[in-house]
Amino acid sequence: MSDSAARDRDAAETESAFGHPEVAPDRSAAYGDHPDQVIDFFAPRDGRDGAPLVVVLHGGAWRSPYDRRHVSPFADFLARRGFAVASVEYRRGGGLPRQGAEGPAAGRWPETFDDVAAAMDALPGLTARELPQADARRTVVTGHSAGGQLALWAAARHVLPQGSPWRLPAPPPLRGVVALAPIGDFESAAEQDVCSGALHQLLGGEEYFEERRVHVDPALLLPTGIATAVVQGSWDLTVPQSVTEAFVEAAAKAGELVGLTVLDEVGHFALIDPSADACAVAAEEIAQLAW
C-alpha cells in the first residue's frame, strides 16, 4: 500500500471509530477526590449474573483531550457480548509547566500511574457495590494504544522494582490482559517518536527517560506470569507493528509467551470500533481469557 493510501485508510478508520455516539454508563463511581478519578460501569446487556469483568483503559497518548468517553461505544460493545465492564478514567497531561514540555503534555508523573494503581486496587470493592452481577474473580484488563501500555503495566505491578510505590507483594488477581496496539516497548516507541514525543512527556522529560522507564515500561517488567495477548493491525500508522513486536520479543527473551494476533490491512482505531471486524477479534481474545 502506498503512503497516501495508508493515510487515507487511517483517516477513514479514525473517522469511523470516533463517529459513534457516546454511550452513557449504567453507574459511575469515584475512586479518589480528583474529578478524573472515576470509573464508569456497564452492566452485561443480557442481564446475566456472574459475568466476567473487563477493565478498559482508554488510549489517547496519555493526553487530556482524550478521555474515557471515546471508548464508551467499545465498552458498550463488550457489555452487549455479555461482559461486565469497568471503564477507568485517570489523570492525563495538560501542558504542565513543571514537565518542561512544549504543547500538550502527555500524562502526569507520577499521577497517571498513581491513578491506575488506585483504580485497580479499588475495583473489587466498587464492583461489588456498583455492579454486583459481575464476577470480579474473572477479571481481564484491556487497553488501547497508551491504554494498552497501562493495561500491561497494571498486570505487572508485582514485578516492579523494589521500593516502587506501585509495587504489589503478589500478582494481581487477573485472568489475563489483552493489549490492543499497545505502546509496549518504550525504547522502540521513542526511536520512532510514537505520538510525537508523548513518551518523554509522560516520564516528565527526556532527562528522566532511563531513570523512570524501569518503573513503567512493559518491556522491562517481564515475566509477569499473567496470561497476555496482544492484537495489532498491520497498517497501524500510530503505533507501528514493530513496537508491538519489540514487546513480544522482550517477553520471549524473558521466558514468557505472549499471544500475538496481527490483523492484516487493519489500522489503529479499528480495534475499538464496534462496527469493525477487528473489534470483534479483540472481544474474542478477551473472551478466551475470561470464560
Side-chain angles (χ1 to χ4, degrees):
M1 172 181 278
S2 68
D3 289 344
S4 62
R7 287 192 296 270
D8 290 345
R9 174 64 177 259
D10 182 69
E13 285 192 357
T14 303
E15 181 179 5
S16 177
F18 283 87
H20 299 281
E22 179 184 345
V23 180
D26 296 296
R27 301 288 295 272
S28 294
Y31 62 88
D33 295 330
H34 192 278
D36 285 337
Q37 293 174 324
V38 63
I39 301 172
D40 287 342
F41 291 94
F42 297 78
R45 302 308 184 212
D46 58 8
R48 76 176 69 190
D49 288 328
L53 178 67
V54 180
V55 182
V56 176
L57 291 159
H58 71 81
W62 311 281
R63 292 186 170 120
S64 59
Y66 301 94
D67 62 20
R68 69 192 185 283
R69 289 178 294 182
H70 83 270
V71 295
S72 65
F74 175 63
D76 177 67
F77 175 80
L78 294 175
R80 286 187 280 112
R81 296 177 77 96
F83 296 108
V85 182
S87 183
V88 176
E89 192 57 274
Y90 51 90
R91 281 174 283 183
R92 304 163 315 285
L96 301 178
R98 66 179 176 82
Q99 289 185 297
E102 296 182 3
R108 301 191 188 191
W109 183 275
E111 292 92 342
T112 295
F113 298 97
D114 289 343
D115 287 359
V116 173
M120 296 300 298
D121 292 344
L123 258 174
L126 292 178
T127 301
R129 187 185 76 197
E130 304 293 340
L131 210 62
Q133 59 267 60
D135 184 356
R137 296 169 301 177
R138 292 190 289 164
T139 297
V140 174
V141 181
T142 190
H144 175 245
S145 196
Q149 178 269 326
L150 294 173
L152 293 170
W153 180 81
R157 289 171 57 203
H158 58 297
V159 296
L160 291 176
Q162 292 288 344
S164 170
W166 307 301
R167 181 181 168 93
L168 292 176
L174 300 174
R175 280 287 182 93
V177 55
V178 177
L180 310 175
I183 304 177
D185 183 286
F186 280 22
E187 184 175 19
S188 175
E191 287 174 353
Q192 299 180 67
D193 196 27
V194 168
C195 297
S196 303
L199 275 175
H200 290 143
Q201 294 171 13
L202 173 69
L203 300 180
E206 189 171 357
E207 65 271 26
Y208 294 109
F209 185 74
E210 294 300 335
E211 172 190 342
R212 291 178 174 174
R213 66 182 283 235
V214 299
H215 295 272
V216 294
D217 183 350
L220 299 181
L221 302 175
L222 294 162
T224 66
I226 292 176
T228 301
V230 179
V231 183
Q232 174 75 37
S234 66
W235 286 357
D236 194 326
L237 301 181
T238 303
V239 181
Q241 182 177 335
S242 57
V243 175
T244 290
E245 289 175 341
F247 168 72
V248 172
E249 290 170 5
K253 290 179 181 178
E256 187 156 81
L257 179 63
V258 170
L260 172 60
T261 300
V262 176
L263 302 179
D264 193 27
E265 301 184 5
V266 168
H268 191 64
F269 286 103
L271 300 176
I272 58 167
D273 181 352
S275 65
D277 292 341
C279 193
V281 174
E284 181 58 33
E285 291 290 336
I286 293 169
Q288 289 184 20
L289 294 178
W291 294 104

